[in-house]
Amino acid sequence: MASYKVGDKVIILDYSGKPVVPQVVAEIEDIVSPTKVRLHLPDNACCYEYTDSFEKIDEETYVKYLNAVRNREQELPMDLRMDIRKFIADHPRLRRDILRNYELDKRYISIIHAYAGRISMYGRENIPEKFLWEFENAKEGLVETRHFFHELDPDIHEVKVPADANAPVEVD
C-alpha cells in the first residue's frame, strides 16, 4: 500500500484497477486515515475516497489529463429564457408556430443534455444506434427552432451544438 501526502496528484481507478475512461485526476486535499483521504477534483468539488480507488501519478501526467478534461468540457445550449406569453403577444399570427417550436426546443434541450452525459460516461461506441440517431436529430432540431426564434427576435441567439458534445478526448 502506497503512502500518500497532502498535495499528491492521483488518477481515479475503476473496479478492475485500471484508470477510468475518460480519465479523472484529482489532488489529495486531506488525509483522514491511512485508508481514506479527501480529494480535490478539477471542477472544484471534493469527495472522500479510499486509497485503493486511485493511484499516484507524476505532475506531467496530471497536467496532461487535466488539460484533456478542460478540452472535453464543452458548453451545451441552455433553455430559452423568455416569457412565452409576451412573445406570443408580440407575434399573434404566429401563435401556433411559436408554441410548437417552444415545446420542441425544450424537448431537444432535454435530449441533448441527457445523451451528452451518457456519451461522456459510456463512450459513443457503447451507445445504441437508436439513441445516437435521436441525439443527432435533437441537435439538428435545436438549430432549427433557435433559428426560428432568431428570425422573430434578433436578441435570441442561434446555437451550434458541438459535433461530439461532452464526448471523451483520448490522450496518448
Side-chain angles (χ1 to χ4, degrees):
M1 176 184 278
S3 63
Y4 297 100
K5 63 184 186 310
V6 174
D8 281 348
K9 311 293 194 242
V10 297
I11 188 165
I12 309 298
L13 304 174
D14 62 10
Y15 292 112
S16 63
K18 296 178 183 165
V20 175
V21 176
Q23 294 81 3
V24 178
V25 293
E27 185 175 344
I28 295 178
E29 186 174 83
D30 188 24
I31 298 174
V32 178
S33 73
T35 59
K36 192 173 184 182
V37 298
R38 179 179 163 121
L39 297 178
H40 181 251
L41 298 167
D43 61 354
N44 288 326
C46 292
C47 69
Y48 289 103
E49 195 64 66
Y50 291 101
T51 55
D52 59 350
S53 300
F54 55 83
E55 66 182 26
K56 195 185 292 190
I57 57 174
D58 59 47
E59 185 73 29
E60 183 181 319
T61 307
Y62 176 79
V63 170
K64 179 173 69 172
Y65 286 130
L66 188 61
N67 288 335
V69 169
R70 301 281 187 246
N71 291 337
R72 186 166 64 232
E73 292 173 346
Q74 300 170 356
E75 288 292 319
L76 291 177
M78 297 301 292
D79 288 330
L80 285 172
R81 306 269 187 233
M82 68 175 170
D83 182 2
I84 192 71
R85 292 170 297 178
K86 182 178 179 262
F87 200 78
I88 290 173
D90 292 343
H91 308 282
R93 290 186 176 189
L94 297 173
R95 181 179 193 275
R96 182 175 291 148
D97 290 336
I98 291 171
L99 287 173
R100 184 178 59 82
N101 280 302
Y102 185 70
E103 289 303 316
L104 282 173
D105 192 87
K106 289 193 312 188
R107 182 172 164 261
Y108 293 147
I109 289 289
S110 160
I111 290 170
I112 288 170
H113 283 269
Y115 291 151
R118 289 179 185 162
I119 289 171
S120 69
M121 274 195 303
Y122 303 118
R124 197 172 196 85
E125 63 280 353
N126 297 321
I127 303 291
E129 201 60 38
K130 174 188 172 201
F131 295 131
L132 288 176
W133 179 85
E134 200 171 333
F135 178 65
E136 296 300 325
N137 187 40
K139 290 193 310 187
E140 292 171 12
L142 183 68
V143 169
E144 289 174 16
T145 58
R146 293 294 169 95
H147 179 72
F148 172 80
F149 286 113
H150 179 73
E151 290 291 317
L152 297 177
D153 184 2
D155 290 340
I156 298 173
H157 300 290
E158 295 189 59
V159 297
K160 180 171 174 23
V161 182
D164 52 349
N166 282 352
V169 175
E170 290 300 319
V171 176
D172 296 324

